[in-house]
RNA sequence: GCGAUAGUAGCUCAGUUGGUUAGAGCACCGGCUUGUGGUGCCGGGGGUCGCGGGUUCGAAUCCCGUCUUUCGCCCCA
């Protein structure tokens, strides 16, 4: 017997419909926000990822040489692909560009809770707009998706941070642009590390100042309100004023979107990647435990880096299907999807073919219809109809055929109605609209 | 890549100090049932006990290796 590869999942019908439920919500809500769906190959040139993330990334990719001696990789994320697509026609695309994708991604990592080697992501990106309105639009979309899935304020929170704030405050502490990435990286990892390890990293980056920096960083990480933040930034300085202005804008906009209740100001979020430039955020289950449900931020210089000539501000986020499914499951928000037909034909032995033509008619009318593929008695067919979960049974015996009728039985309350075969579809639609069959 | 954990039917699990042909419940298929359904009763199919090697007269059971699962470390775009 063959098994799925480690970190990969099969999706038999029930799992598949749960997954599709997520996808349906992603698409519906994204369209409500006027985002356009796009798609792209899952296989890309390996260099696309090396260029963006550095050579270390190769160890985490599914990659190989194809028959044309090209180094290729299964996509581990969507952003480089998106950047390439947008850069290719940047001048002709109406701005702002609001695109989303639902797709499979691959990372060669150790499978763990909420993390596999194949997973699905919802990616939404907004390009060509540098104001905080774009960041707020994306955060509002993220919140709307979670709300539509049934999650509320008691279920999840979004930790919002800003790299510009960090850059400004680190500058004040004497952190130069050169060593800034290393310091931000250490801050990002400090969430998952012992303090001594972080101090050691900082000490290596800024000899003699590791302890000092860590003390200051901890102070900054504790900031959890707009007032505290403004107090720390102190207005008067032009740069500080701009940052304060951005925070005030995004706060006001998120309040207008009805999304602010989910937001926690939390500067401990910086995200590991060097390319983030402004607001960054991660969504977590309300308790804060577990992996991030979603994450994103602004990446104003990435297009330029990847394309070489197109410079365009951009921001975006991604939601992973595994952590999200786990979260929904634990809260009972993944109802058991049962795929059932609307109708089940029950026909006598001599009426089977006649019945199939009725089935065909019903199917063309948009009703999902099942019937027994082999000859069996009425009793057996009723049993199968019951097990199928169909709402109505269409009963066709010699009496009905003789009178050109068909009997419709509501399998939930056992009431029956006899209608002419000609009016079957109309009657079914009527029932459909009423939401049930009426007792005779 | 490192550490721990587990692996018996599709699923959840029994399986005695190593001892005939490895069991149960659920699920699946059929019969009772050729004009009224999910219940009931009866029956059936399905396992090289993760895989390979070793110890033994004899291994699901003991030993070694390996693969896979789950959890943690690393990493987390």
């Amino acid at each position: 017997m063959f098994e799925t590869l480690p970190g990969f999942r099969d999706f038999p019908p029930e799992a598949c419909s749960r997954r599709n439920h997520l996808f349906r919500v992603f698409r519906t809500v994204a369209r409500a926000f006027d985002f356009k769906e796009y798609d792209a190959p899952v296989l890309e040139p390996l260099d696309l990822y090396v260029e963006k993330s550095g050579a270390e990334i190769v160890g985490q990719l599914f990659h190989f040489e194809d028959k044309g001696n090209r180094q290729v990789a299964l996509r581990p994320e969507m952003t480089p692909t998106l950047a390439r697509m947008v850069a290719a026609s940047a001048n002709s695309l109406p701005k702002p560009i609001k695109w989303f994708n639902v797709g499979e991604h691959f990372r060669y990592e150790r499978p763990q809770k909420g993390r596999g080697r194949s997973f699905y992501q919802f990616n939404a990106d907004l390009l060509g707009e540098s104001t905080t309105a774009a960041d707020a639009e994306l955060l509002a979309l993220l919140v709307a998706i979670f709300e539509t899935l049934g999650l509320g304020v008691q279920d999840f929170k979004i930790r919002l941070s800003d790299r510009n704030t960090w850059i400004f405050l680190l500058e004040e502490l004497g952190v130069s642009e050169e060593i800034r990435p290393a310091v931000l990286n250490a801050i990002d990892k400090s969430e998952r590390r012992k303090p001594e390890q972080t101090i050691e990293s900082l000490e290596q980056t800024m000899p003699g100042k590791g302890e000092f920096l860590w003390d200051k960083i901890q102070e900054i990480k504790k900031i959890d309100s707009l007032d505290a933040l403004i107090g720390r930034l102190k207005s008067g300085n032009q740069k500080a004023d701009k940052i304060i202005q951005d925070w005030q804008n995004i706060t006001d906009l998120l309040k207008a979107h009805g999304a602010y209740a989910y937001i926690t100001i939390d500067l401990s979020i910086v995200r590991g990647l060097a390319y983030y430039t402004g607001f960054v955020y991660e969504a977590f289950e309300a308790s804060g435990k577990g992996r991030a449900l979603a994450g994103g931020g602004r990446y104003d210089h990435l297009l330029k880096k990847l394309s070489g000539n197109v410079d365009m501000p951009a921001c975006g986020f991604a939601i992973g299907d595994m952590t999200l499914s786990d979260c929904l499951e634990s809260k009972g928000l993944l109802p058991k999807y049962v795929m059932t037909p609307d109708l089940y034909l029950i026909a006598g032995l001599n009426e089977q073919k006649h019945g199939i033509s009725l089935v065909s008619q019903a199917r063309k009318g948009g009703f999902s219809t099942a019937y027994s593929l082999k000859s069996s008695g009425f009793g057996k067919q009723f049993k199968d109809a019951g097990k199928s979960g169909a709402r109505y049974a269409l009963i066709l015996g010699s009496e009905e055929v003789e009178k050109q009728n068909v009997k419709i039985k509501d399998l939930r309350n056992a009431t029956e109605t006899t209608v002419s075969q000609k009016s079957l579809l109309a009657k079914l639609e009527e029932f459909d609209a009423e939401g049930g069959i009426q007792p005779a």
Side-chain angles (χ1 to χ4, degrees):
Chain A
M1 269 297 274
F2 290 104
E3 293 171 359
T4 54
L5 289 165
F8 284 74
R9 295 167 288 171
D10 283 331
F11 292 92
E14 204 180 296
C16 196
S17 47
R18 276 199 296 266
R19 190 191 75 188
N20 288 344
H21 166 67
L22 295 186
F23 291 3
R24 199 157 36 239
V25 170
F26 292 157
R27 292 196 162 100
T28 308
V29 180
R31 281 182 197 135
F33 277 68
D34 187 34
F35 278 67
K36 317 271 189 240
E37 184 165 9
Y38 68 98
D39 208 354
V42 292
L43 199 63
E44 292 275 13
L46 178 61
D47 281 345
L48 182 62
Y49 305 109
V50 175
E51 185 68 28
K52 184 199 151 203
S53 308
E56 319 82 62
I57 199 74
V58 176
Q60 319 250 32
L61 296 178
F62 278 89
H63 68 95
F64 58 95
E65 186 178 292
D66 76 4
K67 293 180 181 180
N69 304 318
R70 284 171 284 258
Q71 294 296 322
V72 296
L74 288 168
R75 65 184 180 200
E77 57 166 327
M78 206 62 198
T79 310
T81 300
L82 170 78
R84 187 199 62 222
M85 289 173 74
V86 169
S89 53
N91 290 334
S92 60
L93 290 167
K95 316 294 180 301
I97 299 160
K98 296 165 72 178
W99 284 10
F100 78 94
N101 173 260
V102 179
E104 190 171 14
H105 298 265
F106 307 86
R107 295 178 187 175
Y108 199 92
E109 297 180 294
R110 190 60 142 199
Q112 256 166 54
K113 189 179 183 63
R115 192 171 78 177
R117 289 181 174 178
S118 151
F119 54 93
Y120 292 84
Q121 272 192 350
F122 168 79
N123 273 264
D125 292 89
L126 203 163
L127 304 96
E129 179 55 58
S130 59
T131 66
T132 49
D135 301 274
E137 175 84 343
L138 285 164
L139 281 160
L141 170 58
L142 176 54
V143 165
I145 286 172
F146 281 6
E147 282 184 334
T148 305
L149 287 166
L151 297 167
V153 199
Q154 68 286 357
D155 298 314
F156 78 96
K157 62 180 178 190
I158 295 172
R159 299 162 69 187
L160 177 64
S161 175
D162 173 35
R163 282 213 165 202
N164 287 330
T165 303
W166 272 111
I167 290 169
F168 177 78
L169 293 175
L170 288 176
E171 243 166 45
E172 282 192 336
L173 295 171
V175 174
S176 69
E177 197 175 339
E178 275 182 340
I179 61 168
R180 187 193 296 151
V183 174
L184 286 172
N185 197 261
I187 296 168
D188 179 48
K189 286 185 177 164
S190 68
E191 285 281 286
R192 311 182 279 265
R193 274 179 169 179
K194 289 179 187 150
E196 306 86 72
Q197 290 176 287
T198 305
I199 293 169
E200 201 188 313
S201 295
L202 293 170
E203 183 65 29
Q204 276 180 11
T205 314
M206 276 184 92
K209 301 194 83 175
E211 294 259 6
F212 165 80
L213 263 182
W214 179 231
D215 284 348
K216 294 293 176 189
I217 286 167
Q218 278 180 298
E219 274 175 29
I220 297 168
K221 282 174 68 169
K222 277 188 196 134
I223 294 171
D224 62 354
S225 71
L226 192 54
D227 289 344
L229 184 61
I230 291 169
R232 185 69 172 76
L233 285 164
K234 296 180 212 111
S235 67
N237 173 311
Q238 201 183 335
K239 274 188 190 170
D241 285 348
K242 166 79 168 75
I243 292 168
I244 290 169
Q245 189 63 53
D246 283 346
W247 273 105
Q248 274 169 343
N249 280 343
I250 201 167
T251 302
D252 291 344
L253 287 166
L254 287 169
K255 280 178 182 166
H257 278 291
Y260 195 69
Y262 298 95
I263 304 289
T264 310
I265 292 178
D266 185 342
L267 294 177
S268 60
I269 298 287
V270 292
R271 294 184 67 76
L273 277 270
Y275 62 75
Y276 282 112
T277 53
F279 286 109
V280 289
Y281 42 89
E282 291 181 358
F284 285 87
E285 202 276 328
S287 68
K289 287 180 183 158
R291 277 171 205 291
L293 300 170
R298 181 165 282 282
Y299 52 94
D300 281 344
H301 307 315
L302 187 65
L303 254 73
K304 173 94 184 209
K305 185 179 177 189
L306 286 175
S307 71
N309 57 346
V310 176
D311 199 358
M312 192 185 277
C315 45
F317 71 86
I319 306 174
D321 78 307
M322 296 182 79
T323 43
L324 181 58
S325 296
D326 287 350
C327 174
L328 292 171
E329 175 114 59
S330 72
K331 294 171 188 296
L333 292 171
L334 275 183
K336 207 168 189 176
Y337 286 87
V338 189
M339 293 137 296
T340 55
D342 302 314
L343 313 173
Y344 196 104
L345 172 79
I346 294 171
L349 278 187
N350 298 322
E351 291 79 34
Q352 262 192 324
K353 295 210 171 65
H354 193 131
I356 287 175
S357 66
L358 280 185
V359 166
S360 166
Q361 214 184 103
R363 286 174 171 171
K364 280 174 189 158
F367 294 95
S368 167
T369 309
Y371 64 98
S372 174
L373 294 174
K374 52 188 162 193
S375 307
S376 44
F378 275 85
K380 170 84 176 122
Q381 290 187 62
F382 269 103
K383 191 171 266 195
D384 288 343
K387 278 197 285 195
S388 80
R391 177 70 194 275
Y392 301 112
L394 302 182
I395 303 164
L396 189 73
S398 50
E399 301 163 31
E400 285 81 11
V401 168
E402 205 174 302
K403 295 178 183 163
Q404 290 291 301
N405 284 339
V406 59
K407 205 182 273 180
I408 304 172
K409 175 170 180 174
D410 187 325
L411 290 169
R412 290 188 208 172
N413 58 20
T415 54
E416 298 183 345
T417 316
T418 301
V419 299
S420 75
Q421 289 177 19
K422 277 183 190 167
S423 61
L424 174 61
L425 270 186
K427 196 70 184 171
L428 287 171
E429 272 156 24
E430 191 183 308
F431 286 164
D432 200 30
E434 286 168 2
I437 196 171
Q438 302 300 314

